Structures are given as C-alpha cells and as structure tokens.
Amino acid sequence: MLATQVWLHTYATDGVSTEIADYVLAELTPARFTAALRDASIRVRIADHNNNLAGFSLVKFNATCPQARSAVAELQTLYVQAHFIGTGLGKRLLQDAETVARKHANTALWLTVNAQNRRAIDFYDHLGYRKVGTTYFVLGTQRHENHVLVGQGA
C-alpha cells in the first residue's frame, strides 16, 4: 500500500522500531482507507501514472484548525511515492485539495507537518502556507513536534 511505503520512507529513518511497526499495522490499513472513502466528511483524490497509484490526498471537512479557527478543512494526508517527487504531482494534488476545500467548505486548508520533514515544509512554504502553531504527534512514548500550517485565505 502506498501510504505504508511513503510513511515508512519518511519517518522510519532509523529503521522500523516496534512503535513504528505497531502504528503502521494499526493505522495504515485497508479498513481505515475504506472507511475514509465512505465518510461523507472526507474527500480522497488519487493521482496515477500508467494506471498505477502514484499519490493521493485526503481532506477532512468540519475539522477546525486550533490556531486558525476560520480554517475548517484539514489536509490530513498528501502522499507522493518517492519516484514522483519533483514531477509536479504533489503540487497538483495540493491544488486539487485546495479547490475542494473552497468549493465544499469555503475555507483554506490547514495541515500538520513533522518539524523534521524539511522537504515537506519547504514544499508548503513555496506554495504559500504559513506556520501558525505547533502540535505533537505521539508515537509510543515519544512526542514528535509538528508545525501547524494554513494555506492562503485563512
């Protein structure tokens, strides 16, 4: 599954620990993605290459940003397979997610990004996102700093 591949490539930089394995096996499952596809408050968009999945985005509506209350559509996931980074695929997925947020919720997107993920931070910065706060992703007993970003119009 693409989500598992991208997640591990991005976050398992020191290898696959027990906490990482437990998270992936519990959270990045076909059942979770099937539920997201059936949830009316979530929009999933995919990008393919030669009829193969190359990336996807997941936007959740009615998800108010704690630091920018006017932003109520969260970009929960934007994953692009490593082979397609730099091709414009991620930008197209993000622009599509922004269009969906404006059309269905009249709002800008907000998201969280790992504070160590420099490539993603630079990507969002280049496309006009700004940091409005900090939150933490808890994995096992460790807390990982995440930036809260909002898109233009929030």
Side-chain angles (χ1 to χ4, degrees), residues 92-152:
R92 288 190 302 275
L93 281 168
L94 181 60
Q95 289 170 335
D96 180 67
E98 290 170 336
T99 299
V100 166
R102 282 190 305 272
K103 180 179 177 184
H104 294 284
N106 194 30
T107 186
L109 285 176
W110 71 276
L111 61 104
T112 61
V113 61
N114 184 288
Q116 303 303 311
N117 191 344
R118 190 78 247 156
R119 183 177 62 218
I121 292 167
D122 290 345
F123 169 77
Y124 291 115
D125 182 60
H126 176 74
L127 295 171
Y129 283 72
R130 70 185 195 297
K131 182 180 175 187
V132 295
T134 301
T135 190
Y136 292 88
F137 174 75
V138 178
L139 184 62
T141 59
Q142 296 184 342
R143 290 171 19 121
H144 301 272
E145 182 181 346
N146 280 249
H147 298 308
V148 179
L149 308 179
V150 294
Q152 297 177 19

Side-chain angles (χ1 to χ4, degrees), residues 2-103:
L2 177 69
T4 301
Q5 181 186 35
V6 172
W7 201 92
L8 288 171
H9 180 79
T10 303
Y11 300 110
T13 57
D14 290 329
V16 180
S17 66
T18 301
E19 290 85 5
I20 287 175
D22 289 346
Y23 176 83
V24 167
L25 292 172
E27 298 297 325
L28 303 179
T29 66
R32 295 262 185 177
F33 286 99
T34 298
L37 289 169
R38 291 182 177 150
D39 187 331
S41 69
I42 294 175
R43 296 291 186 281
V44 177
R45 297 286 198 253
I46 64 166
D48 73 342
H49 176 75
N50 294 331
N51 294 318
N52 296 306
L53 182 63
F56 73 94
S57 67
L58 192 151
V59 176
K60 178 151 181 69
F61 300 106
N62 303 319
T64 303
C65 178
Q67 288 86 6
R69 311 284 292 157
S70 64
V72 295
E74 179 185 10
L75 179 65
Q76 290 189 328
T77 307
L78 177 63
Y79 285 167
V80 174
Q81 189 179 38
H83 306 296
F84 298 98
I85 292 172
T87 66
L89 188 141
K91 182 178 179 180
R92 288 190 302 275
L93 281 168
L94 181 60
Q95 289 170 335
D96 180 67
E98 290 170 336
T99 299
V100 166
R102 282 190 305 272
K103 180 179 177 184

